[in-house]
mmCIF file of all heavy atoms in Angstrom:
data_model
loop_
_atom_site.group_PDB
_atom_site.id
_atom_site.type_symbol
_atom_site.label_atom_id
_atom_site.label_comp_id
_atom_site.label_asym_id
_atom_site.label_seq_id
_atom_site.Cartn_x
_atom_site.Cartn_y
_atom_site.Cartn_z
ATOM 1 N N GLY A 190 -3.266 10.178 16.784
ATOM 2 C CA GLY A 190 -2.359 9.002 16.927
ATOM 3 C C GLY A 190 -2.449 8.331 18.328
ATOM 4 O O GLY A 190 -2.420 7.114 18.388
ATOM 5 N N VAL A 191 -2.532 9.121 19.331
ATOM 6 C CA VAL A 191 -2.700 8.555 20.651
ATOM 7 C C VAL A 191 -3.976 7.856 20.856
ATOM 8 O O VAL A 191 -3.984 6.708 21.477
ATOM 9 C CB VAL A 191 -2.471 9.699 21.789
ATOM 10 C CG1 VAL A 191 -2.827 9.219 23.146
ATOM 11 C CG2 VAL A 191 -1.081 10.248 21.788
ATOM 12 N N GLN A 192 -5.070 8.410 20.350
ATOM 13 C CA GLN A 192 -6.352 7.728 20.456
ATOM 14 C C GLN A 192 -6.340 6.400 19.678
ATOM 15 O O GLN A 192 -6.845 5.438 20.134
ATOM 16 C CB GLN A 192 -7.475 8.635 19.909
ATOM 17 C CG GLN A 192 -7.762 9.745 20.870
ATOM 18 C CD GLN A 192 -8.748 10.700 20.272
ATOM 19 O OE1 GLN A 192 -9.049 10.745 19.051
ATOM 20 N NE2 GLN A 192 -9.411 11.517 21.145
ATOM 21 N N LYS A 193 -5.700 6.317 18.533
ATOM 22 C CA LYS A 193 -5.545 5.139 17.715
ATOM 23 C C LYS A 193 -4.815 4.097 18.461
ATOM 24 O O LYS A 193 -5.143 2.948 18.437
ATOM 25 C CB LYS A 193 -5.019 5.504 16.351
ATOM 26 C CG LYS A 193 -4.972 4.393 15.393
ATOM 27 C CD LYS A 193 -4.471 4.817 14.049
ATOM 28 C CE LYS A 193 -4.379 3.617 13.055
ATOM 29 N NZ LYS A 193 -3.791 4.012 11.791
ATOM 30 N N ALA A 194 -3.651 4.570 18.995
ATOM 31 C CA ALA A 194 -2.813 3.550 19.737
ATOM 32 C C ALA A 194 -3.595 2.994 20.909
ATOM 33 O O ALA A 194 -3.514 1.847 21.213
ATOM 34 C CB ALA A 194 -1.560 4.271 20.178
ATOM 35 N N TRP A 195 -4.290 3.882 21.704
ATOM 36 C CA TRP A 195 -5.033 3.396 22.860
ATOM 37 C C TRP A 195 -6.150 2.422 22.450
ATOM 38 O O TRP A 195 -6.368 1.376 23.089
ATOM 39 C CB TRP A 195 -5.650 4.567 23.579
ATOM 40 C CG TRP A 195 -6.517 4.168 24.796
ATOM 41 C CD1 TRP A 195 -7.828 4.162 24.837
ATOM 42 C CD2 TRP A 195 -6.045 3.598 26.026
ATOM 43 N NE1 TRP A 195 -8.249 3.724 26.035
ATOM 44 C CE2 TRP A 195 -7.188 3.278 26.821
ATOM 45 C CE3 TRP A 195 -4.813 3.229 26.528
ATOM 46 C CZ2 TRP A 195 -7.125 2.707 28.054
ATOM 47 C CZ3 TRP A 195 -4.718 2.691 27.795
ATOM 48 C CH2 TRP A 195 -5.838 2.433 28.526
ATOM 49 N N SER A 196 -6.844 2.760 21.374
ATOM 50 C CA SER A 196 -7.934 1.837 20.954
ATOM 51 C C SER A 196 -7.359 0.446 20.479
ATOM 52 O O SER A 196 -8.004 -0.584 20.668
ATOM 53 C CB SER A 196 -8.816 2.436 19.859
ATOM 54 O OG SER A 196 -8.083 2.663 18.720
ATOM 55 N N SER A 197 -6.218 0.548 19.757
ATOM 56 C CA SER A 197 -5.666 -0.708 19.310
ATOM 57 C C SER A 197 -5.094 -1.554 20.530
ATOM 58 O O SER A 197 -5.211 -2.786 20.500
ATOM 59 C CB SER A 197 -4.492 -0.518 18.301
ATOM 60 O OG SER A 197 -3.428 0.172 18.907
ATOM 61 N N TYR A 198 -4.606 -0.850 21.557
ATOM 62 C CA TYR A 198 -4.166 -1.557 22.746
ATOM 63 C C TYR A 198 -5.380 -2.218 23.429
ATOM 64 O O TYR A 198 -5.339 -3.424 23.867
ATOM 65 C CB TYR A 198 -3.497 -0.587 23.750
ATOM 66 C CG TYR A 198 -3.268 -1.167 25.117
ATOM 67 C CD1 TYR A 198 -2.134 -1.982 25.358
ATOM 68 C CD2 TYR A 198 -4.092 -0.987 26.189
ATOM 69 C CE1 TYR A 198 -1.876 -2.569 26.547
ATOM 70 C CE2 TYR A 198 -3.835 -1.536 27.425
ATOM 71 C CZ TYR A 198 -2.735 -2.260 27.584
ATOM 72 O OH TYR A 198 -2.512 -2.826 28.819
ATOM 73 N N CYS A 199 -6.474 -1.495 23.555
ATOM 74 C CA CYS A 199 -7.675 -2.055 24.169
ATOM 75 C C CYS A 199 -8.208 -3.294 23.319
ATOM 76 O O CYS A 199 -8.607 -4.250 23.886
ATOM 77 C CB CYS A 199 -8.800 -1.033 24.299
ATOM 78 S SG CYS A 199 -8.448 0.205 25.601
ATOM 79 N N ASP A 200 -8.228 -3.127 22.029
ATOM 80 C CA ASP A 200 -8.699 -4.150 21.166
ATOM 81 C C ASP A 200 -7.833 -5.428 21.291
ATOM 82 O O ASP A 200 -8.281 -6.565 21.237
ATOM 83 C CB ASP A 200 -8.786 -3.765 19.725
ATOM 84 C CG ASP A 200 -9.937 -2.741 19.527
ATOM 85 O OD1 ASP A 200 -10.840 -2.652 20.356
ATOM 86 O OD2 ASP A 200 -9.923 -2.037 18.518
ATOM 87 N N LYS A 201 -6.516 -5.243 21.428
ATOM 88 C CA LYS A 201 -5.630 -6.391 21.448
ATOM 89 C C LYS A 201 -5.550 -7.081 22.749
ATOM 90 O O LYS A 201 -5.445 -8.244 22.835
ATOM 91 C CB LYS A 201 -4.178 -5.860 21.065
ATOM 92 C CG LYS A 201 -3.175 -7.004 20.825
ATOM 93 C CD LYS A 201 -1.892 -6.465 20.269
ATOM 94 C CE LYS A 201 -0.934 -7.655 20.075
ATOM 95 N NZ LYS A 201 0.332 -7.133 19.520
ATOM 96 N N TYR A 202 -5.590 -6.304 23.868
ATOM 97 C CA TYR A 202 -5.319 -6.915 25.208
ATOM 98 C C TYR A 202 -6.517 -6.885 26.136
ATOM 99 O O TYR A 202 -6.588 -7.705 27.003
ATOM 100 C CB TYR A 202 -4.178 -6.214 25.862
ATOM 101 C CG TYR A 202 -2.845 -6.379 25.200
ATOM 102 C CD1 TYR A 202 -2.212 -5.402 24.494
ATOM 103 C CD2 TYR A 202 -2.254 -7.642 25.290
ATOM 104 C CE1 TYR A 202 -1.040 -5.577 23.942
ATOM 105 C CE2 TYR A 202 -1.037 -7.804 24.647
ATOM 106 C CZ TYR A 202 -0.409 -6.780 24.004
ATOM 107 O OH TYR A 202 0.791 -7.015 23.333
ATOM 108 N N ILE A 203 -7.477 -6.017 25.954
ATOM 109 C CA ILE A 203 -8.550 -5.915 27.002
ATOM 110 C C ILE A 203 -9.898 -6.396 26.406
ATOM 111 O O ILE A 203 -10.584 -7.235 27.046
ATOM 112 C CB ILE A 203 -8.672 -4.488 27.490
ATOM 113 C CG1 ILE A 203 -7.392 -4.090 28.204
ATOM 114 C CG2 ILE A 203 -9.844 -4.314 28.353
ATOM 115 C CD1 ILE A 203 -7.271 -2.691 28.688
ATOM 116 N N ASN A 204 -10.260 -5.997 25.210
ATOM 117 C CA ASN A 204 -11.547 -6.368 24.640
ATOM 118 C C ASN A 204 -11.388 -7.600 23.732
ATOM 119 O O ASN A 204 -11.700 -7.586 22.543
ATOM 120 C CB ASN A 204 -12.119 -5.208 23.751
ATOM 121 C CG ASN A 204 -12.366 -3.930 24.553
ATOM 122 O OD1 ASN A 204 -12.644 -4.108 25.821
ATOM 123 N ND2 ASN A 204 -12.209 -2.822 24.004
ATOM 124 N N VAL A 205 -10.989 -8.771 24.345
ATOM 125 C CA VAL A 205 -10.825 -9.966 23.563
ATOM 126 C C VAL A 205 -11.868 -10.901 24.021
ATOM 127 O O VAL A 205 -12.390 -10.863 25.155
ATOM 128 C CB VAL A 205 -9.385 -10.527 23.690
ATOM 129 C CG1 VAL A 205 -8.419 -9.659 23.030
ATOM 130 C CG2 VAL A 205 -9.063 -10.726 25.163
ATOM 131 N N LYS A 206 -12.187 -11.950 23.226
ATOM 132 C CA LYS A 206 -13.181 -12.939 23.546
ATOM 133 C C LYS A 206 -12.660 -13.842 24.653
ATOM 134 O O LYS A 206 -13.364 -14.138 25.611
ATOM 135 C CB LYS A 206 -13.555 -13.744 22.324
ATOM 136 C CG LYS A 206 -14.333 -12.959 21.273
ATOM 137 C CD LYS A 206 -14.716 -13.791 20.123
ATOM 138 C CE LYS A 206 -15.435 -12.914 19.074
ATOM 139 N NZ LYS A 206 -15.775 -13.732 17.890
ATOM 140 N N ARG A 207 -11.471 -14.339 24.447
ATOM 141 C CA ARG A 207 -10.904 -15.286 25.491
ATOM 142 C C ARG A 207 -9.668 -14.598 26.151
ATOM 143 O O ARG A 207 -8.615 -14.976 25.959
ATOM 144 C CB ARG A 207 -10.467 -16.606 24.878
ATOM 145 C CG ARG A 207 -11.633 -17.491 24.507
ATOM 146 C CD ARG A 207 -11.206 -18.776 23.869
ATOM 147 N NE ARG A 207 -9.847 -19.154 24.273
ATOM 148 C CZ ARG A 207 -9.129 -20.042 23.637
ATOM 149 N NH1 ARG A 207 -9.492 -20.540 22.491
ATOM 150 N NH2 ARG A 207 -7.941 -20.404 24.142
ATOM 151 N N GLY A 208 -9.972 -13.594 26.873
ATOM 152 C CA GLY A 208 -8.890 -12.798 27.457
ATOM 153 C C GLY A 208 -8.484 -13.295 28.814
ATOM 154 O O GLY A 208 -9.172 -14.031 29.520
ATOM 155 N N GLY A 209 -7.378 -12.859 29.269
ATOM 156 C CA GLY A 209 -6.912 -13.152 30.608
ATOM 157 C C GLY A 209 -6.520 -11.790 31.278
ATOM 158 O O GLY A 209 -6.906 -10.732 30.796
ATOM 159 N N PRO A 210 -5.786 -11.957 32.395
ATOM 160 C CA PRO A 210 -5.350 -10.755 33.055
ATOM 161 C C PRO A 210 -4.155 -10.074 32.446
ATOM 162 O O PRO A 210 -3.665 -9.105 33.032
ATOM 163 C CB PRO A 210 -5.100 -11.294 34.450
ATOM 164 C CG PRO A 210 -4.601 -12.688 34.203
ATOM 165 C CD PRO A 210 -5.430 -13.122 33.056
ATOM 166 N N ALA A 211 -3.739 -10.447 31.292
ATOM 167 C CA ALA A 211 -2.491 -9.840 30.714
ATOM 168 C C ALA A 211 -2.577 -8.388 30.425
ATOM 169 O O ALA A 211 -1.683 -7.597 30.755
ATOM 170 C CB ALA A 211 -2.116 -10.594 29.476
ATOM 171 N N GLY A 212 -3.701 -7.940 29.841
ATOM 172 C CA GLY A 212 -3.776 -6.486 29.460
ATOM 173 C C GLY A 212 -3.886 -5.582 30.699
ATOM 174 O O GLY A 212 -3.141 -4.576 30.761
ATOM 175 N N ILE A 213 -4.653 -5.928 31.652
ATOM 176 C CA ILE A 213 -4.755 -5.149 32.866
ATOM 177 C C ILE A 213 -3.474 -5.145 33.627
ATOM 178 O O ILE A 213 -3.047 -4.120 34.204
ATOM 179 C CB ILE A 213 -5.948 -5.624 33.728
ATOM 180 C CG1 ILE A 213 -7.191 -5.623 32.813
ATOM 181 C CG2 ILE A 213 -6.089 -4.792 34.982
ATOM 182 C CD1 ILE A 213 -8.258 -4.637 33.091
ATOM 183 N N SER A 214 -2.822 -6.341 33.702
ATOM 184 C CA SER A 214 -1.577 -6.440 34.449
ATOM 185 C C SER A 214 -0.438 -5.625 33.850
ATOM 186 O O SER A 214 0.377 -5.029 34.485
ATOM 187 C CB SER A 214 -1.181 -7.895 34.675
ATOM 188 O OG SER A 214 -0.876 -8.451 33.418
ATOM 189 N N MET A 215 -0.430 -5.583 32.501
ATOM 190 C CA MET A 215 0.531 -4.753 31.824
ATOM 191 C C MET A 215 0.318 -3.295 32.079
ATOM 192 O O MET A 215 1.219 -2.535 32.243
ATOM 193 C CB MET A 215 0.531 -5.032 30.305
ATOM 194 C CG MET A 215 1.255 -6.217 29.891
ATOM 195 S SD MET A 215 1.286 -6.640 28.152
ATOM 196 C CE MET A 215 0.950 -5.139 27.317
ATOM 197 N N LEU A 216 -0.911 -2.872 32.135
ATOM 198 C CA LEU A 216 -1.269 -1.533 32.410
ATOM 199 C C LEU A 216 -0.864 -1.160 33.809
ATOM 200 O O LEU A 216 -0.281 -0.055 34.083
ATOM 201 C CB LEU A 216 -2.736 -1.255 32.174
ATOM 202 C CG LEU A 216 -3.256 0.103 32.128
ATOM 203 C CD1 LEU A 216 -2.717 0.807 30.844
ATOM 204 C CD2 LEU A 216 -4.752 0.127 32.003
ATOM 205 N N LEU A 217 -1.142 -1.983 34.797
ATOM 206 C CA LEU A 217 -0.787 -1.751 36.218
ATOM 207 C C LEU A 217 0.755 -1.712 36.344
ATOM 208 O O LEU A 217 1.262 -0.929 37.114
ATOM 209 C CB LEU A 217 -1.361 -2.811 37.126
ATOM 210 C CG LEU A 217 -2.889 -2.653 37.296
ATOM 211 C CD1 LEU A 217 -3.409 -3.795 38.073
ATOM 212 C CD2 LEU A 217 -3.307 -1.359 37.941
ATOM 213 N N ALA A 218 1.434 -2.620 35.650
ATOM 214 C CA ALA A 218 2.873 -2.646 35.747
ATOM 215 C C ALA A 218 3.513 -1.386 35.250
ATOM 216 O O ALA A 218 4.470 -0.874 35.778
ATOM 217 C CB ALA A 218 3.457 -3.911 35.115
ATOM 218 N N GLY A 219 2.955 -0.916 34.105
ATOM 219 C CA GLY A 219 3.464 0.335 33.513
ATOM 220 C C GLY A 219 3.153 1.497 34.392
ATOM 221 O O GLY A 219 4.052 2.373 34.619
ATOM 222 N N TYR A 220 2.051 1.526 35.144
ATOM 223 C CA TYR A 220 1.714 2.564 36.046
ATOM 224 C C TYR A 220 2.680 2.554 37.242
ATOM 225 O O TYR A 220 3.199 3.571 37.720
ATOM 226 C CB TYR A 220 0.307 2.455 36.578
ATOM 227 C CG TYR A 220 -0.014 3.444 37.668
ATOM 228 C CD1 TYR A 220 -0.184 4.719 37.454
ATOM 229 C CD2 TYR A 220 -0.103 2.924 39.031
ATOM 230 C CE1 TYR A 220 -0.420 5.618 38.444
ATOM 231 C CE2 TYR A 220 -0.338 3.793 40.043
ATOM 232 C CZ TYR A 220 -0.544 5.174 39.724
ATOM 233 O OH TYR A 220 -0.779 6.007 40.801
ATOM 234 N N CYS A 221 3.062 1.340 37.708
ATOM 235 C CA CYS A 221 4.013 1.270 38.890
ATOM 236 C C CYS A 221 5.362 1.743 38.475
ATOM 237 O O CYS A 221 5.998 2.439 39.263
ATOM 238 C CB CYS A 221 4.066 -0.229 39.299
ATOM 239 S SG CYS A 221 2.549 -0.829 40.141
ATOM 240 N N LEU A 222 5.796 1.346 37.257
ATOM 241 C CA LEU A 222 7.125 1.789 36.812
ATOM 242 C C LEU A 222 7.177 3.336 36.651
ATOM 243 O O LEU A 222 8.118 3.996 36.999
ATOM 244 C CB LEU A 222 7.545 1.149 35.537
ATOM 245 C CG LEU A 222 7.944 -0.363 35.648
ATOM 246 C CD1 LEU A 222 8.091 -0.994 34.300
ATOM 247 C CD2 LEU A 222 9.124 -0.484 36.517
ATOM 248 N N LEU A 223 6.039 3.875 36.049
ATOM 249 C CA LEU A 223 5.976 5.322 35.839
ATOM 250 C C LEU A 223 5.959 6.071 37.170
ATOM 251 O O LEU A 223 6.699 7.071 37.272
ATOM 252 C CB LEU A 223 4.747 5.594 35.017
ATOM 253 C CG LEU A 223 4.628 7.045 34.424
ATOM 254 C CD1 LEU A 223 5.761 7.288 33.488
ATOM 255 C CD2 LEU A 223 3.330 7.195 33.740
ATOM 256 N N SER A 224 5.226 5.609 38.163
ATOM 257 C CA SER A 224 5.128 6.285 39.357
ATOM 258 C C SER A 224 6.430 6.179 40.179
ATOM 259 O O SER A 224 6.794 7.172 40.884
ATOM 260 C CB SER A 224 3.959 5.795 40.250
ATOM 261 O OG SER A 224 4.165 4.436 40.572
ATOM 262 N N TYR A 225 7.079 5.062 40.042
ATOM 263 C CA TYR A 225 8.369 4.898 40.696
ATOM 264 C C TYR A 225 9.395 5.935 40.020
ATOM 265 O O TYR A 225 10.225 6.521 40.769
ATOM 266 C CB TYR A 225 8.925 3.516 40.544
ATOM 267 C CG TYR A 225 10.256 3.275 41.220
ATOM 268 C CD1 TYR A 225 10.409 3.166 42.543
ATOM 269 C CD2 TYR A 225 11.402 3.205 40.433
ATOM 270 C CE1 TYR A 225 11.671 2.975 43.172
ATOM 271 C CE2 TYR A 225 12.686 3.074 40.974
ATOM 272 C CZ TYR A 225 12.733 2.923 42.368
ATOM 273 O OH TYR A 225 13.961 2.777 42.959
#
Side-chain angles (χ1 to χ4, degrees):
V191 169
Q192 287 175 342
K193 185 177 178 183
W195 176 254
S196 67
S197 67
Y198 172 81
C199 287
D200 290 341
K201 187 173 183 179
Y202 292 109
I203 296 175
N204 299 330
V205 292
K206 291 182 182 176
R207 287 181 25 200
I213 306 249
S214 63
M215 280 180 23
L216 195 64
L217 289 174
Y220 172 74
C221 290
L222 288 173
L223 190 65
S224 65
Y225 180 77

